[in-house]
Amino acid sequence: SGNSAPLNEAMAVLQHHDAVSGTSRQHVADDYARQLAEGWGPCEVLLSNALAWLSGSKDVFTFCLNLNISICPLSQKAASFQVTVYNPLARKVDWMVRLPVTKGVFLVRDPNGRTVQSSVVVSPSTEQKDLSELLFSASVPALGFSVYSVDLLTSRDAQARTPKPRPKNSS
Amino acid sequence: SHILAIENEYIRATFSPKTGLLVEIENLEKNLVLPVQQAFFWYNASVGDRISSQASGAYIFRPSQQQPLPVRRWAQTQLVKTALVQEVHQNFSAWCSQVVRLYPGQRHLELEWTVGPIPVGDSWGKEVISRFDTSLETDGVFYTDSNGREILERRRDYRPTWNLNQTEPVAGNYYPVNTRIYITDGKVQLTVLTDRSQGGSSVRDGSLELMVHRRLVKDDRRGVGEPLLESGSGAWVRGRHLVLLDTVQTAAAGHRLLAEKEVLAPQVVLSQGGGAPYNLR
């Protein structure tokens, strides 16, 4: 069972100016980080439960906390995965999704099964690590989510590019 | 010798072929062109001087001199262009780099900077800033927000409610920036949105700066009892500045909507798919 209370409490503690402005001693800063990390664990379960309920599917959801530094083990290893994009704004947004992937050709489909334009960018900084980033534009409704599916194409698939059955819909 | 530029239907950003630095932003929709030189600098942190023994520390920002030093006067650049993104990768030094990015349909320029670990082997505390220098005649005035709510006018070397005797020409003009800072000449406005709270200022007319990272070697004796110096090699910081060039009349609509999108950004969750159907029972 999930629980957001520990994260609530950690966030409340972190309202202290020491945590906001960085004026704490190192061991206190380490403890702030510990409280946040421990609070996030049960909250992640809560979010997974909510997503399962909303999407009607009991998936193992993965939260890539290091996406800002282009690290996400699932997208870097899986040949096929789904991307749930949640929009907390009260208006529709179009947003560029960036996911670290291994090199290859990918097929991205929107919630209606239509193929979405995507690019695999090998940036100069990631080239040495055999890592690329998959980019596609996601359209997400107000206060809602969209589920996009991503498939790594084999060389034969890439040539044929046949559309597959539509993935799970979303709202 | 070729002009290095990225552009979409709304924005064009031009970089100097000699230095690799951003030198001009153009709003193609409104026909606005603004020479903007953006680069990274660092203030040498004070360890105390003749006037005051106050050192720069976790609580106190006190540079030893008014002029910051450039991290480097030029950047090694690489250009990436695909149908969905255009990027200029700028490498200033082993501890300072940046990606300037444009997506199709985007009305702002995205600057993703990576700074750290700041070297302090020379025993000099360093406070790193990203600075935008323009030709705008701002007359000592700039604007910062207060928790994303009010935008407050800040006037250099001035406080609205008392006669200020300015003793710190740089730090005394620094203000909190929660989500945005901007300068304007009454016609054109250059706005920079931040992805986190930072300190910012306009130390000279037409200039705008934000502090992105700092690493100090001396405690400021304000209660922490240790210098702002991470153990080990030091911290890496990565963040984003979103830059908007607009007319004064329409700038607010642009930065308010964009700031909402930044603060309440979409969240991404991945799954393998093919899970069992779920119902409440």
Side-chain angles (χ1 to χ4, degrees), chain A residues 95, chain B residues 99 101 103 106 108-113 192-196 198 210 238-243 261-263 265:
Chain A
W95 195 67
Chain B
V99 179
R101 188 174 286 140
Y103 294 118
Q106 184 175 275
H108 64 274
L109 195 63
E110 178 180 317
L111 278 61
E112 188 177 57
W113 41 267
V192 180
L193 295 177
T194 61
D195 62 348
R196 70 200 64 189
Q198 294 177 324
L210 287 155
R238 175 169 290 172
R240 293 186 308 140
H241 289 153
L242 309 181
V243 182
K261 210 173 162 183
E262 183 66 12
V263 174

Side-chain angles (χ1 to χ4, degrees), chain B residues 192-247:
Chain B
V192 180
L193 295 177
T194 61
D195 62 348
R196 70 200 64 189
S197 292
Q198 294 177 324
S201 185
S202 171
V203 177
R204 282 181 293 120
D205 279 0
S207 172
L208 182 160
E209 64 188 61
L210 287 155
M211 188 174 290
V212 294
H213 197 7
R214 54 206 297 253
R215 195 172 185 208
L216 309 169
V217 293
K218 201 171 173 189
D219 176 40
D220 57 9
R221 296 188 322 255
R222 296 284 167 153
V224 189
E226 61 185 42
L228 190 66
L229 181 67
E230 303 88 11
S231 49
S233 63
W236 270 270
V237 186
R238 175 169 290 172
R240 293 186 308 140
H241 289 153
L242 309 181
V243 182
L244 290 151
L245 176 68
D246 210 336
T247 59

Side-chain angles (χ1 to χ4, degrees), chain A residues 23 25-26 53 56 58-59 61-62 68-69 72 74 80-82 84-86 91 94 98 117 124 135, chain B residues 59 78 83-84 87 89 101 103 224 226 238 257 260-261 266-272 275-276 278 280:
Chain A
T23 49
R25 285 190 181 213
Q26 189 61 52
W53 182 49
K58 245 163 72 169
D59 275 324
F61 293 102
T62 302
N68 68 320
I69 51 169
C72 179
L74 178 62
S80 174
F81 58 91
Q82 294 194 329
T84 302
V85 189
Y86 171 72
R91 57 182 156 91
D94 294 314
R98 296 183 75 104
Q117 189 184 15
L135 271 73
Chain B
Y59 282 93
Q78 278 173 303
L84 291 184
E87 296 177 338
H89 293 241
R101 188 174 286 140
Y103 294 118
V224 189
E226 61 185 42
R238 175 169 290 172
L257 289 170
E260 279 181 1
K261 210 173 162 183
Q267 301 295 309
V268 171
V269 186
L270 302 189
S271 62
Q272 291 269 24
Y278 175 91
L280 274 177

Side-chain angles (χ1 to χ4, degrees), chain B residues 113-134:
Chain B
W113 41 267
T114 305
V115 177
I118 298 174
V120 286
D122 51 12
S123 301
W124 287 0
K126 297 176 183 68
E127 319 205 36
V128 185
I129 59 162
S130 169
R131 195 174 79 188
F132 301 79
D133 292 313
T134 74

